[in-house]
Amino acid sequence: MPEGDTVAQAAKRLDSALAGQVLTRSDLRVPRFATADLTGRTVLDVAPRGKHLLTRIEGGLTLHSHLRMDGSWKVYAPGERWRGGPSHQIRAILANETRTAVGYRLPVLELLRTTDESKAVGHLGPDLLGPDWDPDRALRNLLGDPARPLGEALLDQRNLAGIGNIYKSELCFLLRVTPWLPIGELPAETADRLPLLAKKLLEANRDRPARVTTGRPRPDERLYVYGRSHRPCLRCRTPIRTADQGDGSRERPTYWCPHCQQGPAPTP
C-alpha cells in the first residue's frame, strides 16, 4: 500500500499537471458519479491528507481518492501511450490541454463538496507531512490504548496519518522493539522519540524515487528489515523474521530482527 511519502509525491505530480488548468475532459467511471461532468471547471489544487488525495475543483467540489493496495494515478502528455493497466481498470480521467491524469484501480473515488471534506478525512490523526502535524497529539493518540501492540497502533490512521506497513516495520526496528510490544510498555524516552522519528523518515523520503531508511545506497540495503525475511540483519547478521500483523482489520507481513528488537513476537 502506498504510504504518506508516496501519496505526497502523487499529489505533487497531479498538482503540477492539473492545478490552474481548465478541464477539457472528465470521466468518473464509478456508478455513483458516472454522470458527473467536470468539463470546463478549473482544478484549484491537489493536496495529500495522510494516504488520501483531495483534488479541489472550481465550484466548491473535491474529488477524493485513495490508492490502498493497488491504485495509482498516472500523468500523460498528449499522444503518449497510457501504460497504467488495461482500460477496464481505469476509474477516473481528468484532462486539460497539456496533460491527462488517469486513475487506475482506485478503490475509493467520490465527488463531494469541498466543505464536506471532513466526512472523508476528518477521522484522521495528525498528518506526518501535513500542516496539521502535532507530535504531542499524535503521541497522546498512540498511547490512548496502552495494551495495543505498537505495530497495530502505528497503522491506525486515526492516531497519526501516513504510516503503512513498511514504515511500521522500519520504525519498530529503529526503536529496537518488536511490533507486538504493547505500546504502553515503551520506555518514556522511546515513546517521546517515536512521532519525531516517524516524521523524519517520511520527510527524508518525500522526494526520493526509492525509499531509504538506512542511509545506504545499495538497492538491497535501503531498508533495515522490511522485505528482508531470512536475510541477515544489517546490524547483527541475525536472520530477519516475518509474521503477519494487521491494524485490526487486515493482516500484513511484518518484519523484525529477533536479536536487535526486544519484546514479544510470534514463535517460529
Side-chain angles (χ1 to χ4, degrees), residues 129-151:
L129 295 178
D132 70 318
W133 173 243
D134 182 339
D136 294 331
R137 180 181 160 211
L139 184 58
R140 288 195 302 271
N141 291 347
L142 288 166
L143 296 175
D145 184 356
R148 194 174 193 186
L150 173 59

Side-chain angles (χ1 to χ4, degrees), residues 182-261:
I183 192 166
E185 295 182 18
L186 275 177
E189 62 274 15
T190 302
D192 288 344
R193 288 180 55 216
L194 197 163
L196 299 179
L197 180 59
K199 182 175 179 61
K200 180 179 179 180
L201 287 181
L202 266 72
E203 282 189 333
N205 287 285
R206 186 204 297 258
D207 298 316
R208 283 177 175 162
R211 187 177 285 122
V212 179
T213 60
T214 63
R216 304 186 185 196
R218 287 182 49 175
D220 61 340
E221 294 185 351
R222 287 174 178 160
L223 302 176
Y224 282 109
V225 292
Y226 187 86
R228 295 180 54 84
S229 181
H230 306 302
R231 297 171 66 186
C233 173
L234 295 178
R235 277 183 179 160
C236 72
R237 312 306 292 174
T238 300
I240 298 298
R241 289 185 54 201
T242 183
D244 286 339
Q245 185 188 40
D247 58 0
S249 63
R250 172 184 286 181
E251 296 297 304
R252 298 184 177 92
T254 296
Y255 302 84
W256 80 102
C257 173
H259 179 266
C260 292
Q261 295 173 252

Side-chain angles (χ1 to χ4, degrees), residues 1 57 80 84 155 194 216 229:
M1 177 185 290
I57 301 166
E80 185 179 358
L155 287 180
L194 197 163
R216 304 186 185 196
S229 181

Side-chain angles (χ1 to χ4, degrees), residues 46-148:
V46 182
R49 180 70 172 87
K51 301 180 185 181
H52 300 250
L53 285 164
L54 302 171
T55 302
R56 300 183 179 111
I57 301 166
E58 180 185 18
L61 296 175
T62 294
L63 186 64
H64 166 232
S65 60
H66 194 298
L67 307 180
R68 289 194 181 162
M69 294 297 292
D70 301 315
S72 67
W73 279 95
K74 304 291 186 181
V75 176
Y76 303 107
E80 185 179 358
R81 180 172 172 267
W82 296 3
R83 302 176 303 278
S87 60
H88 72 265
Q89 294 182 347
I90 294 174
R91 297 292 176 265
I93 301 172
L94 299 175
N96 54 47
E97 291 184 351
T98 61
R99 292 290 185 270
T100 298
V102 183
Y104 292 89
R105 301 171 299 278
L106 300 174
V108 175
L109 185 71
E110 60 177 342
L111 190 64
L112 48 93
R113 288 287 174 188
T114 300
T115 53
D116 291 335
E117 284 182 1
S118 61
K119 294 180 180 179
V121 297
H123 65 288
L124 299 175
D127 186 342
L128 283 152
L129 295 178
D132 70 318
W133 173 243
D134 182 339
D136 294 331
R137 180 181 160 211
L139 184 58
R140 288 195 302 271
N141 291 347
L142 288 166
L143 296 175
D145 184 356
R148 194 174 193 186

